[in-house]
Amino acid sequence: MIFSWSVQLLITPRQVMSKKSKIIPIIGLQWGDEGKGKGVARIASGLSSQDLIVRFQGGNNAGHTIWHDGKCYVFHLIPSGVFGRAQIHLGAGMVVNPGALREEASTIPKKVKFLHRMTISPHAVLTLPTHILLDSVSEHTKGQRRIGSTGKGISPSYTDLVLRRALRVGDIYNPDFKKKYAALKKEHKETLEKVFKYKWKGNELSRSEKKFWAGIKFIQSLQVADSSEIVERALNAGEKVIAEGAQGALLDVRFGHYPFVTSSHTIAGGVATGLGISPHWVGEAIGILKAYATKVGEGPFPTELGGIRSRVWCRDKKVPDEKEKFSNPNPNSRDEFEQGIALRKLGNEIGATTGRLRRTGWVDIPLLKYAINMNNASKLILTKLDVLSGFKKVKICTHYTINGKKTDRVPFDLSRVKIKPIYKTFPVWKGRLFDYGSKLPPQALSYIKFLEKTLGRKIIYVGTGPEEHHVVERYWK
Ligand code: GDP
Ligand code: IMO
Ligand code: MG
């Protein structure tokens, strides 16, 4: 295996795509935050102005971080390729908070002209201020059974779509939109008051409604385009289309660890339904995984460092609490809980959307195989390998023991079975990975090779830091 240090893009979208696949879904293979934003931005930098980058699901629960020109940006709704030349599209399968979209657009420097190449689907569902309230109130009443939602109103917005009463982007041009808004708000208020016994705090909706209406005005100034038309047109003309996944395969509403999931189809199958295109356009995906694992919110995490202690800590504590108690956590501590804290610190694993502590643990091969299969992820991007610098040894979970039996299959309900992960241990290189340049140390190569062999997929590049050029790319034949 030859790795080469490279700053410019060696692998063009044309090369990463096989003949049978015409759209490139970029899908997180874990619980989100794998580095999709950076991956998309990197591939997008090689696209032309005819090519297209689309979001096909999710809303501003996503937080995609990219470094551009030495500055850090977090995108929640706008596709991460906005700094390139390609067209960008907010697809039909998304839920869009209008005020959040307007604010996010204003964070992009004026010199980056993007509004003329950005379109939004009329089918995308609008997130209302009352959706956000419903999300937080319903989470609150769940108590210990809460999901750990981002509180952005995602689940209530998708619920209204399925209840067939949602307001969509296309509705805002109709003269009766305000009436429809008032009717839905009334239904939400009734649920809040009658089901959740919610007590209003003054006119608490007024600020968020002001932002909502300013956002609606902003969307009215955008170009609306049907996802299926725009994507099929680009594909038929031989242009490249990148589908930027949000969240990760293990948060898929059906195939994730239900109910600890988001409310959309995060897997590559969601590309077809989220854009209204034939599945034949979606042949294979690029899967992104971290060199370890993280999870924000509740739900099973078999390889979590520190197990339940970590889960409760991350649920109940905030960043300053952790900084105060563990100013210098030891990655080589005998206490796995402390190791998990060190991993969080080294990887800066703080939620990009909510600022929560991300739970940390080791790579889990059974779950990765499950995710790779569902997505036909034929090529992989491995991110954050540099973060393992500082550990003397790291682990990969190769199998589970469930009821005394060794298996690499993922059970239907991870929370109902007692899983004991079986680990393989790997020695770690000395010093910072970044300092090795293109010549990755043998310890890093053996870690990468083991992943490639066990997962049966090639890793097309390895992330060695957060910035655009922090990449070691594999020469392609
Ligand atoms: P996304 O939601 O999948 O786009 O990922 P996030 O942006 O939520 O989280 C990934 C974090 O890791 C961001 O802060 C990125 O800047 C950072 N990141 C991405 N790739 C690398 C890498 O290879 N090394 C390091 N150290 N950081 C990375
Ligand atoms: P990106 O795109 C990590 C998690 C939440 C919660 C569950 C449900 O940045 O990878 P929701 O608000 O969707 O109802 O929350 O899903 N979650 C994410 N975790 N990265 C994300 O997005 C996430 N989006 C949602 O923490 O556990
Ligand atoms: Mg994220």
Side-chain angles (χ1 to χ4, degrees), residues 55 57-63 76-77 93-97 100 125-136 138-139 147-162 166 246-247 251 253 261-266 353-354 356:
R55 275 276 306 269
Q57 45 74 229
N60 62 332
N61 47 351
H76 304 283
L77 291 162
M94 288 184 75
V95 291
V96 175
N97 173 331
V125 168
L126 295 170
T127 294
L128 273 49
T130 37
H131 282 136
I132 299 165
L133 203 52
L134 279 164
D135 198 6
S136 65
S138 95
E139 275 280 89
I147 307 299
S149 126
T150 58
K152 301 291 176 189
I154 306 301
S155 158
S157 306
Y158 278 119
T159 301
D160 273 352
L161 175 72
V162 181
Q247 291 82 51
L251 288 172
V253 65
V261 292
T262 189
S263 302
S264 64
H265 282 298
T266 57
T353 299
T354 55
R356 288 180 289 176

Side-chain angles (χ1 to χ4, degrees), residues 24-28 36 39-40 43 56 242-246 285-288 381:
I24 315 174
I26 308 233
I27 306 288
K36 298 175 291 295
V40 169
I43 291 176
F56 58 94
I242 309 273
E244 173 176 348
I286 297 182
I288 305 205
I381 292 172

Side-chain angles (χ1 to χ4, degrees), residues 431-446:
R432 294 187 317 165
L433 189 66
F434 188 77
D435 295 335
Y436 287 85
S438 62
K439 206 167 168 340
L440 288 174
Q443 296 89 338
L445 283 176
S446 73

